[in-house]
C-alpha cells in the first residue's frame, strides 16, 4: 500500500500575554525536509525561519524575540505585517476626494508604517488549514473606520502558506466600505548566515529593477525616477552589499546610513515570470529568492538598529544585522509616488502575493 504523502505539520502553543491581559499564540509549520517557520497572531509576525545550509545544518535566518511582550515593545517592526500604510507619510496628511485626512503621528512630523497601533500591534484572529502540499495560517483583522486616522472600515486577511518545497507564500487581502489607502508589506529582517551571526555585508544581493527613487534629506522620495546605471543602487547583477554600503560619496547612502530606497521592479518581475530580488550568503550556501506581483521593492539594511535590543537567545542586535526586502505598491514607473497607486475602494478589493523561496546557491 502506498504511504500517504508527507505533509507540512502545524503545532500551536501559547506565546505569552500582552499588556492588556490577552494571550497570543505561536504557530509552528515544519516541512518534511526540516524547514520550520514560526508565526504569531500578534502583528502577523514571522518569529523564526529555520533553513538548512550546505552542510545540512539548520539555522534561524530572521531577527526576532522569544516572547510576545518583547514584540509589543519593539520599535523595529521585526517580522511584522505592515499597514495600513507601509512607509512614511509626511506630516501624517493626505488628501482624498477633496478631504484632508490627519493621521496619528508616531515619528518626527510623520506617520510611519501605519501609526502608533497599526497592524503590527494588533492581535489577529487565526485559524489553520492543511492540504497535501502545504499548510497554512490564516490571519484576519477588521480595522475600524478612523483607526490611526485612516478613513473606512477595512477587513484584512493575511495567509501564510509553507509548502513541501520549502516555499513560504504570503497572500494579502483587503476589503473596505469606503475609499481609503493601503500599502501592505512584510517586514522580516533576514540574515542568511543566522540571526546571531553579525552583519550582512557579505550577503550578495540582486534586484530586478532598472530604476530607483532617490529620497530627500527627510527620507521622502523626491519625485525623481532615476536609472540605477552607474550608481551604488545598481543591483541588476548580484553584488556584495559591502561594495557600496559605506559609500558616503553617494548622497542616498549618506542620507539612509546605508541602503533604504524604493526600487521600481521590471515588468518581468511584476508578472512573476522572474524573481524580484535575491540574496545569497555564500559561506552557508543559503539563498533567498523573492517573487512578487507588487511594483516596487525596498531594500533596507537595518541601518537604525543600534544594539539597544536583545533578541532571541539574548542576542544583542547591532547595526546592519540583517536586510529587509519589502514588496510594496506605493510607487510605480507610470505615476511614481502617487496616492492613486494605493487606493482601496468598495468596488475593487485588494489582493497581492509574495513568494519566498529558500534553497542553496
Amino acid at each position: 500500500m502506498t504511504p500517504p504523502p508527507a505533509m507540512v505539520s502545524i503545532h500551536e502553543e501559547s506565546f505569552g500575554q500582552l499588556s492588556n491581559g490577552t494571550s497570543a499564540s505561536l504557530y509552528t509549520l515544519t516541512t518534511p525536509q526540516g524547514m520550520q517557520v514560526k508565526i504569531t497572531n500578534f502583528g502577523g509576525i514571522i518569529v523564526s525561519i529555520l533553513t538548512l545550509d550546505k552542510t545540512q545544518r539548520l539555522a534561524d535566518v530572521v531577527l526576532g524575540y522569544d516572547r510576545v511582550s518583547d514584540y509589543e515593545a519593539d520599535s523595529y517592526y521585526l517580522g511584522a505585517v505592515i499597514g495600513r500604510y507601509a512607509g512614511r507619510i509626511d506630516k501624517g496628511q493626505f488628501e482624498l476626494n477633496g478631504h484632508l485626512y490627519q493621521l496619528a503621528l508616531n515619528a518626527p512630523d510623520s506617520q510611519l508604517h501605519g501609526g502608533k497601533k497599526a497592524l503590527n500591534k494588533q492581535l489577529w484572529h487565526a485559524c489553520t488549514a492543511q492540504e497535501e502540499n502545504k499548510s497554512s495560517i490564516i490571519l484576519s483583522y477588521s480595522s475600524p473606520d478612523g483607526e490611526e486616522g485612516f478613513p473606512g472600515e477595512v477587513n484584512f486577511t493575511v495567509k501564510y502558506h509553507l509548502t513541501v518545497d520549502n516555499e513560504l507564500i504570503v497572500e494579502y487581502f483587503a476589503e473596505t466600505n469606503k475609499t481609503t489607502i493601503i500599502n501592505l508589506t512584510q517586514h522580516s529582517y533576514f540574515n542568511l548566515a543566522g540571526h546571531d551571526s553579525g552583519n550582512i555585508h557579505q550577503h550578495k544581493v540582486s534586484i530586478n529593477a532598472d530604476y530607483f527613487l532617490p529620497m530627500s534629506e527627510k527620507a521622502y522620495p523626491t519625485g525623481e525616477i532615476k536609472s540605477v546605471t552607474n550608481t551604488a543602487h545598481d543591483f541588476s547583477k548580484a553584488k556584495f552589499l559591502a561594495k557600496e554600503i559605506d559609500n558616503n560619496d553617494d548622497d542616498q547612502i549618506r542620507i539612509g546610513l546605508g541602503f533604504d530606497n524604493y526600487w521600481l521592479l521590471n515588468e518581468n518581475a511584476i508578472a512573476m515570470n522572474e524573481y524580484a530580488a535575491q540574496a545569497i550568503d555564500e559561506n552557508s550556501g543559503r539563498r533567498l529568492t523573492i517573487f512578487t506581483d507588487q511594483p516596487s521593492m525596498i531594500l533596507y539594511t537595518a541601518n537604525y538598529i543600534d544594539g539597544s535590543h536583545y533578541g532571541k537567545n539574548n542576542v544583542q542586535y547591532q547595526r546592519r544585522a540583517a536586510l529587509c526586502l519589502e514588496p510594496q505598491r506605493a510607487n510605480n514607473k507610470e505615476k511614481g509616488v502617487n496616492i492613486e497607486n494605493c487606493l482601496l475602494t468598495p468596488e475593487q478589493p485588494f489582493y497581492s502575493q509574495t513568494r519566498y523561496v529558500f534553497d542553496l546557491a
Side-chain angles (χ1 to χ4, degrees), residues 22 34 43 49-50 67 121 181 190 192 235 274 324 333 341 345:
T22 57
I49 299 177
L50 271 66
R67 294 168 297 274
K121 299 297 186 184
I181 60 171
F190 295 100
L192 297 177
F235 287 93
E274 296 185 13
C324 301
K333 281 181 278 191
N341 298 334
T345 68

Side-chain angles (χ1 to χ4, degrees), residues 19-205:
S19 58
N20 64 5
T22 57
S23 296
S25 295
L26 184 67
Y27 299 86
T28 302
L29 307 177
T30 308
T31 70
Q33 298 88 355
M35 180 181 171
Q36 186 181 89
V37 178
K38 291 179 182 285
I39 296 164
T40 176
N41 61 331
F42 179 72
I45 290 166
I46 296 174
V47 174
S48 70
I49 299 177
L50 271 66
T51 65
L52 293 166
D53 69 2
K54 59 189 177 185
T55 68
Q56 299 298 293
R57 183 182 70 90
L58 280 169
D60 185 353
V61 298
V62 293
L63 273 57
Y65 303 105
D66 291 319
R67 294 168 297 274
V68 74
S69 56
D70 291 326
Y71 283 105
E72 193 173 17
D74 174 57
S75 58
Y76 293 141
Y77 303 88
L78 298 190
V81 171
I82 303 299
R84 292 187 186 192
Y85 191 94
R88 299 177 182 89
I89 297 178
D90 191 16
K91 300 181 179 64
Q93 295 178 344
F94 69 94
E95 188 172 331
L96 188 59
N97 296 332
H99 183 85
L100 181 66
Y101 289 93
Q102 177 62 59
L103 306 177
L105 301 182
N106 63 325
D109 201 28
S110 66
Q111 186 189 91
L112 175 65
H113 291 336
K116 298 175 182 178
K117 195 172 182 184
L119 298 184
N120 64 303
K121 299 297 186 184
Q122 303 292 344
L123 189 65
W124 295 55
H125 176 268
C127 62
T128 63
Q130 279 187 295
E131 300 175 40
E132 182 178 326
N133 295 316
K134 67 181 181 183
S135 290
S136 308
I137 308 297
I138 300 106
L139 301 170
S140 57
Y141 173 69
S142 182
S143 176
D145 185 10
E147 185 166 62
E148 297 301 297
F150 289 97
E153 178 183 324
V154 180
N155 295 314
F156 293 99
T157 300
V158 175
K159 298 181 180 180
Y160 287 106
H161 312 280
L162 184 60
T163 76
V164 293
D165 297 319
N166 297 331
E167 292 188 11
L168 179 63
I169 302 170
V170 187
E171 293 185 291
Y172 305 87
F173 305 78
E175 296 181 343
T176 187
N177 63 355
K178 182 180 180 181
T179 299
T180 187
I181 60 171
I182 62 164
N183 181 36
L184 305 176
T185 195
Q186 219 294 329
H187 209 285
S188 283
Y189 286 69
F190 295 100
N191 186 322
L192 297 177
H195 78 103
D196 54 355
S197 62
N199 67 49
I200 37 76
H201 289 194
Q202 293 306 309
H203 278 50
K204 192 178 272 189
V205 171

